[in-house]
Structure formats: structure tokens, C-alpha cells
Amino acid sequence: MWKAFIAVLALTMLAELFVEKQPHFHVEGYFGIYSLYGFIACAALILIAKAIGAILKRPDGYYHD
């Protein structure tokens, strides 16, 4: 399953070579920028969720009292 997932990701990266871009900003013209942006956004969401979980965490015996 992982190999199929990686193959689909590689195919979407290769498809970017055949699509004409019309970037609004200079950085949007770089190859793979949207994949990098998606990865960074996903990693940031995971880190934020872990931080919120640490803040909202209750002790194990919280409901036993």
C-alpha cells in the first residue's frame, strides 16, 4: 500500500511538468512548491495538535475523584 501511495505522489509530481503554470507570485513558479507547502502545512498541523493535546491533557485519575 505504501508503494502505491508513493507511486501516486510521484505521478502527481511528474504531472506538474506538463501543466502550464500561471503563477501570481514568483515562488509559485518553482517545481514542487505546492507539494512542499502541503508537507509543511501538514507537519505544522500535527505539531499544533500535539501542543494542544499537551495543554488540555488531564491526569489519569481525573474522573476517579
Side-chain angles (χ1 to χ4, degrees):
M1 190 164 173
W2 277 103
K3 289 180 182 178
F5 180 66
I6 291 171
V8 169
L9 290 176
L11 288 174
T12 56
M13 288 286 294
L14 288 175
E16 189 175 352
L17 294 172
F18 303 105
V19 176
E20 183 181 343
K21 296 180 186 178
Q22 297 176 355
H24 293 98
F25 301 102
H26 180 69
V27 72
E28 291 177 343
Y30 296 140
F31 178 76
I33 192 68
Y34 294 114
S35 300
L36 180 64
Y37 175 72
F39 177 77
I40 291 172
C42 183
L45 285 173
I46 291 170
L47 293 175
I48 291 168
K50 284 187 175 270
I52 290 173
I55 293 170
L56 298 177
K57 187 177 183 179
R58 300 286 181 226
D60 289 337
Y62 182 74
Y63 292 106
H64 293 292
D65 294 336

